[in-house]
Amino acid sequence: MSQRTGWNIASAVNVRNPILDALVDIDTTPKTDKPFISLALGDPTKNPLLQPHPDVVEAVASALRSGQFNGYGPHEGLSIARAAVAEYQNRQAAGRGVPGVNVKYETKDVTMANGASEALDIVISALCPPGSNILFPRPGFAYSVVTDARHIEDRYYNLVPEREWEVDLEQLESLIDGKTQAIVVTNPSNPCGSNYTVKHLLEIVEIAKRHFLPVITDEIYGDIVFDDQIFHPLASISTDVPVITIGGLAKRWLVPGWRIGWVAIHDPNDLLNVKKFDLRTILKDISQLSLAPSGFTQAALPTILNKTPPEFYTHVLNVLKENVALLMEKLGAIEGLKVVTPRGSLYLMVGIESTAFEDIKDEWDFVQKLVWEEAVFPVPGRCFRYDGYMRIVTATRKDHLEEACIRLKAFCDRHRRKV
Ligand SMILES: *Cc1c(COP(=O)(O)O)cnc(C)c1O
């Protein structure tokens, strides 16, 4: 057998995160000494008004102090944590769906993971053999880190800004072939800020049903919706198509650093539990890669999910709503920008009409020049595979948003095409 002849080490994986790549590709050194304002990071904890509730922190601290969670736990997660997630998801779905659907998660339906990110990884890895394909939304979150790592093909269905970022159903269906394994839906959406109606969710599930595809629904922003909006968990509208829900603490409880996420399986007809394929067992097996999130954080879940005072959620929504109102008013008045009203999540998308400007090629160029000249940094749409828009984080401190709007206006006025 031939031997290695040198240090020619090769990697079989090339994981690209288009969002992080952009942070590298954009020169973030302003040519002004104005203080830098980032509108880019989807981390609410930078805002002093968006801090976790003290009861939530205490739940983790007391689990840690108890000394009961220092050892290894089951790799699919602690059963008290899985039961708490099941209870939470059941409550969230109650009364939100269509008649005839009874969402009733049990402990066995829940697998714990290190954040929604790992939850996505274990589900996608379980459902998609190498060489198969999976459908992601465009614009969308950086789901391709999973498919890159697992040698799965990523395909993108379009969301339509003029229709509140609903799915272009025809184009979605045209992507499906015999090797398609699942459809991923993000609702409410990062980066779009949309929140789908029951009618639209039913249309998506109808396509999944026609092609025998499970739906993976990323509901990390579940219940972060504004005003008269209602968040409808996708599981609550599916009578037969298997729906696999991804959730986690990061966004709604404002603790992305805690790395708690989960998978919950809604499969009324047991289609994911057949002779050679039992999704619950496969998820449990894959969980051996990381052996579940830290025990004491999991142990706090019954308190966090089911006992956080309702005022906390209202407070978070009020902070976001105020910021959204400010952005809608200030950015809406700037010629050349087109703000799409967000219905939920922590973001809003702003369209950039490059023809309105004299020397701006596209949204990428807009963001680069904005950073150089005004030290304001939103995420260019290209990072979500969607040119012509930029994403603004609405969880940003209000005083920073106010100042950013002033600078954005000055920037646009300076570059606007003269008529
Ligand atoms: C933030 C985010 C995640 C990742 O959440 P973690 O729990 O921090 O891993 C997953 N999906 C979407 C759409 C997100 O915005």
Coordinates of all heavy atoms in Angstrom, one line a residue, residues 102-131:
N102 N -54.3 18.2 16.3 CA -54.1 18.1 17.7 C -52.6 18.0 17.9 O -52.1 16.9 17.8 CB -54.9 17.0 18.3 CG -54.7 16.9 19.8 OD1 -54.4 17.9 20.4 ND2 -55.0 15.8 20.4
V103 N -52.0 19.1 18.3 CA -50.5 19.1 18.5 C -50.4 18.6 20.0 O -50.8 19.2 20.9 CB -49.9 20.4 18.4 CG1 -48.4 20.4 18.8 CG2 -50.0 20.9 16.9
K104 N -49.7 17.4 20.1 CA -49.5 16.9 21.4 C -48.1 16.3 21.5 O -47.9 15.1 21.3 CB -50.6 15.9 21.8 CG -50.8 15.8 23.3 CD -51.9 15.0 23.7 CE -51.9 14.8 25.2 NZ -50.6 14.7 25.8
Y105 N -47.1 17.1 21.8 CA -45.8 16.6 21.9 C -45.6 15.9 23.3 O -46.2 16.3 24.3 CB -44.8 17.7 21.9 CG -44.7 18.5 20.6 CD1 -45.3 19.8 20.5 CD2 -44.0 18.0 19.5 CE1 -45.2 20.5 19.3 CE2 -43.9 18.7 18.3 CZ -44.5 19.9 18.2 OH -44.4 20.6 17.0
E106 N -44.9 14.8 23.2 CA -44.5 14.2 24.5 C -43.0 14.2 24.6 O -42.3 14.6 23.6 CB -44.9 12.7 24.4 CG -46.4 12.5 24.4 CD -46.8 11.1 24.1 OE1 -46.1 10.2 24.5 OE2 -47.8 10.9 23.3
T107 N -42.5 13.8 25.8 CA -41.0 13.9 26.0 C -40.3 13.2 24.9 O -39.2 13.7 24.4 CB -40.7 13.2 27.3 OG1 -41.4 13.9 28.4 CG2 -39.2 13.3 27.7
K108 N -40.8 12.0 24.4 CA -40.1 11.3 23.4 C -39.9 12.0 22.0 O -39.1 11.7 21.2 CB -40.8 9.9 23.1 CG -42.1 10.1 22.5 CD -42.7 8.7 22.0 CE -44.1 8.7 21.6 NZ -44.5 9.7 20.5
D109 N -40.7 13.0 21.8 CA -40.7 13.8 20.6 C -39.6 14.9 20.6 O -39.4 15.5 19.6 CB -42.1 14.4 20.3 CG -43.2 13.4 20.3 OD1 -42.9 12.3 19.7 OD2 -44.3 13.7 20.8
V110 N -39.0 15.1 21.7 CA -38.1 16.2 21.8 C -36.6 15.8 22.0 O -36.3 14.8 22.8 CB -38.5 17.1 23.0 CG1 -37.5 18.3 23.2 CG2 -39.9 17.7 22.9
T111 N -35.7 16.4 21.2 CA -34.3 16.1 21.4 C -33.6 17.5 21.7 O -33.9 18.4 21.0 CB -33.7 15.5 20.1 OG1 -34.4 14.4 19.8 CG2 -32.2 15.1 20.3
M112 N -32.8 17.5 22.7 CA -32.1 18.8 23.1 C -30.8 18.9 22.2 O -30.2 17.9 21.8 CB -31.7 18.8 24.5 CG -32.9 18.7 25.5 SD -34.2 19.9 25.3 CE -33.3 21.4 25.5
A113 N -30.4 20.2 22.0 CA -29.3 20.4 21.2 C -28.5 21.7 21.7 O -29.1 22.5 22.4 CB -29.6 20.6 19.7
N114 N -27.3 21.9 21.2 CA -26.5 23.1 21.6 C -27.0 24.2 20.6 O -26.3 24.5 19.7 CB -25.1 22.8 21.4 CG -24.5 21.9 22.5 OD1 -24.3 22.4 23.6 ND2 -24.4 20.6 22.3
G115 N -28.1 24.8 21.0 CA -28.6 25.9 20.2 C -29.5 25.4 19.0 O -29.4 24.2 18.7
A116 N -30.2 26.3 18.4 CA -31.0 25.9 17.3 C -30.1 25.5 16.1 O -30.4 24.7 15.3 CB -31.8 27.1 16.8
S117 N -28.8 26.0 16.2 CA -27.9 25.7 15.1 C -27.6 24.2 15.1 O -27.6 23.5 14.1 CB -26.6 26.4 15.3 OG -26.8 27.8 15.3
E118 N -27.3 23.6 16.3 CA -27.1 22.2 16.3 C -28.3 21.4 16.0 O -28.3 20.3 15.4 CB -26.4 21.7 17.6 CG -25.9 20.3 17.5 CD -25.5 19.7 18.8 OE1 -26.2 19.9 19.8 OE2 -24.6 18.8 18.8
A119 N -29.5 21.9 16.5 CA -30.8 21.3 16.2 C -31.0 21.1 14.7 O -31.3 20.1 14.2 CB -31.9 22.1 16.9
L120 N -30.6 22.2 14.0 CA -30.8 22.2 12.5 C -29.8 21.1 12.0 O -30.1 20.4 11.1 CB -30.4 23.5 11.9 CG -31.6 24.6 12.1 CD1 -31.0 26.0 12.0 CD2 -32.6 24.3 11.0
D121 N -28.6 21.1 12.5 CA -27.6 20.2 12.0 C -28.0 18.7 12.2 O -28.0 18.0 11.2 CB -26.2 20.4 12.7 CG -25.1 19.5 12.2 OD1 -25.3 19.0 11.0 OD2 -24.1 19.3 12.9
I122 N -28.5 18.4 13.3 CA -28.8 17.0 13.5 C -30.1 16.6 12.7 O -30.1 15.5 12.2 CB -29.0 16.6 15.0 CG1 -30.1 17.3 15.7 CG2 -27.7 16.8 15.8 CD1 -30.4 16.9 17.2
V123 N -31.0 17.5 12.6 CA -32.2 17.1 11.8 C -31.9 17.0 10.3 O -32.2 16.0 9.6 CB -33.3 18.2 12.0 CG1 -34.4 18.0 11.0 CG2 -33.9 18.1 13.4
I124 N -31.1 18.0 9.8 CA -30.8 17.9 8.4 C -29.9 16.7 8.1 O -30.1 16.0 7.1 CB -30.1 19.3 7.9 CG1 -31.2 20.4 8.0 CG2 -29.6 19.2 6.5 CD1 -30.6 21.8 7.8
S125 N -28.9 16.5 9.0 CA -28.1 15.3 8.8 C -28.9 14.0 8.8 O -28.6 13.1 8.1 CB -27.0 15.2 9.9 OG -26.2 16.4 9.9
A126 N -29.9 14.0 9.7 CA -30.7 12.7 9.8 C -31.5 12.5 8.6 O -31.7 11.4 8.1 CB -31.6 12.8 11.0
L127 N -32.0 13.6 8.0 CA -33.0 13.4 6.9 C -32.3 13.4 5.5 O -32.9 12.9 4.5 CB -34.0 14.6 6.9 CG -35.0 14.6 8.0 CD1 -35.8 15.9 8.0 CD2 -35.9 13.4 7.9
C128 N -31.1 13.9 5.4 CA -30.5 14.1 4.0 C -29.2 13.4 3.9 O -28.2 13.8 4.4 CB -30.2 15.6 3.8 SG -31.7 16.7 4.0
P129 N -29.2 12.3 3.1 CA -28.0 11.6 2.8 C -27.1 12.4 2.0 O -27.6 13.3 1.2 CB -28.4 10.3 2.1 CG -29.9 10.4 2.0 CD -30.4 11.6 2.5
P130 N -25.8 12.3 2.0 CA -24.9 13.0 1.1 C -25.4 12.8 -0.3 O -25.8 11.8 -0.7 CB -23.5 12.3 1.3 CG -23.6 11.7 2.7 CD -25.0 11.3 2.9
G131 N -25.4 13.9 -1.1 CA -25.8 13.9 -2.5 C -27.3 14.2 -2.7 O -27.7 14.4 -3.8

